Amino acid sequence: MSADDLRINLWHLAITDRSFNIVDIKPANMEDLTEVITAAEFHLPFHCNLFCVQHQQRITEGCADMRAICTLRQSHCKLYEEPEDPSNRSFFSEIISSVSDVKFSHSGRYMLTRDYLTVKVWDLNMETKPIETYQVHDYLRSKLCSLYENDCIFDKFECAWNGSDSVIMTGAYNNFFRMFDRNTKRDVTLEASRESSKPRAVLKPRRVCVGGKRRKDDISVDSLDFTKKILHTAWHPNENIIAIAATNNLYIFQDKVNSDMH
């Protein structure tokens, strides 16, 4: 399955000269276009006839049954959208709430979404609001004006589940990436760098300081390098092995419990 701004196409590996259109949101008049598709993903491995579509601020779950293809406008498709708090609305609300990535959990019950400032866990049986919300870099709220001016606010961060769906991971700036433990509610900020990628090197937690007292290894929010960003992350489906793409470098880290390399 592939997606562009307006359409989702299904491809057959044995048919190379054409695809099958299953979703088309192109209006008759392009001036009436209010949103675009940002990505699409099948619900694997349990319900391969289901797929989700990322719009800018909502997630639609539809079906792709070749015997009776449904569209996103049919009533039995699900729509996941969190109501906006009017008191928190600002000029940047629409941009920072735009969904940049979605991943189905390995269990098939949950869905993970990433917007600019948060990652959210949705129960597929509850469309009205996420069951968990984690702040990735809330300290950037005061920097939204400058992030808008340098176009960083439009960066599209990915997210990932670990094999047991108990920990989620996503990227941030300064080559930092974040992990959130769903059971203990603990979180950690780690850094992908050449020093940390040396054999037997141990990843040390990092902390961003907004103000007040700073610890020895803390980094000020004003010192963050926004040209160094981790947009792409992946977690091995069975092992505690992660892949981190930082600019033009690819880092692979492995849990020291399972291997002498980490």
Side-chain angles (χ1 to χ4, degrees):
M1 182 165 62
S2 65
D4 57 30
D5 287 350
L6 302 176
R7 299 180 180 88
I8 297 177
N9 294 322
L10 196 66
W11 299 79
H12 194 293
L13 295 182
I15 303 175
T16 60
D17 60 346
R18 64 184 182 275
S19 62
F20 304 91
N21 181 249
I22 56 177
V23 173
D24 189 338
I25 64 169
K26 183 179 180 179
N29 186 352
M30 286 298 291
E31 294 182 356
D32 296 331
L33 184 67
T34 57
E35 62 180 355
V36 296
I37 296 170
T38 55
E41 181 170 324
F42 270 117
H43 187 299
L44 299 175
F46 298 102
H47 305 291
C48 58
N49 64 312
L50 295 179
F51 66 90
C52 67
V53 179
Q54 292 171 233
H55 299 270
Q56 288 163 294
Q57 293 159 305
R58 60 193 177 98
I59 306 294
T60 308
E61 185 183 46
C63 72
D65 190 331
M66 293 303 95
R67 294 166 300 180
I69 294 179
C70 77
T71 70
L72 300 183
R73 296 181 177 86
Q74 288 182 295
S75 59
H76 60 273
C77 292
K78 293 185 176 181
L79 175 65
Y80 300 87
E81 187 173 14
E82 184 177 19
E84 182 183 11
D85 185 352
S87 63
N88 293 330
R89 182 161 182 80
S90 70
F91 173 80
F92 305 106
S93 295
E94 186 173 334
I95 302 173
I96 63 176
S97 62
S98 177
V99 178
S100 60
D101 193 26
V102 59
K103 291 291 192 303
F104 285 112
S105 65
H106 296 85
S107 67
R109 178 177 176 180
Y110 303 104
M111 182 170 59
L112 179 65
T113 62
R114 171 69 202 264
D115 56 42
Y116 191 67
L117 295 177
T118 67
V119 282
K120 298 174 181 178
V121 177
W122 299 76
D123 188 317
L124 294 184
N125 295 320
M126 188 169 71
E127 304 169 49
T128 54
K129 63 180 181 178
I131 59 173
E132 300 166 24
T133 299
Y134 302 93
Q135 300 294 332
V136 178
H137 38 209
D138 197 52
Y139 45 78
L140 293 183
R141 286 190 183 274
S142 61
K143 303 289 185 182
L144 293 180
C145 284
S146 58
L147 291 167
Y148 178 80
E149 291 174 356
N150 63 18
D151 286 342
C152 284
I153 200 171
F154 300 104
D155 287 335
K156 305 299 182 184
F157 293 93
E158 294 180 355
C159 51
W161 299 91
N162 73 335
S164 62
D165 299 331
S166 61
V167 181
I168 56 182
M169 173 177 62
T170 191
Y173 293 106
N174 211 75
N175 278 0
F176 289 166
F177 59 99
R178 304 270 281 137
M179 289 186 175
F180 303 89
D181 190 311
R182 299 179 61 209
N183 297 323
T184 64
K185 302 305 178 184
R186 294 179 179 176
D187 61 87
V188 64
T189 299
L190 301 171
E191 181 180 7
S193 64
R194 292 187 179 276
E195 291 73 21
S196 63
S197 64
K198 295 178 181 179
R200 301 183 182 277
V202 177
L203 291 177
K204 297 180 180 180
R206 301 301 306 273
R207 182 173 176 266
V208 178
C209 180
V210 180
K213 294 183 179 180
R214 291 176 55 184
R215 301 174 186 172
K216 179 181 178 181
D217 296 327
D218 287 356
I219 181 171
S220 169
V221 65
D222 296 319
S223 301
L224 294 174
D225 188 343
F226 293 104
T227 65
K228 296 180 178 179
K229 59 192 76 174
I230 294 178
L231 301 179
H232 309 289
T233 58
W235 207 311
H236 191 285
N238 302 316
E239 305 291 339
N240 270 334
I241 303 174
I242 59 174
I244 305 293
T247 316
N248 59 341
N249 296 310
L250 177 65
Y251 298 92
I252 297 179
F253 301 104
Q254 185 168 358
D255 189 349
K256 64 181 181 179
V257 174
N258 298 329
S259 173
D260 289 335
M261 282 186 57
H262 48 87

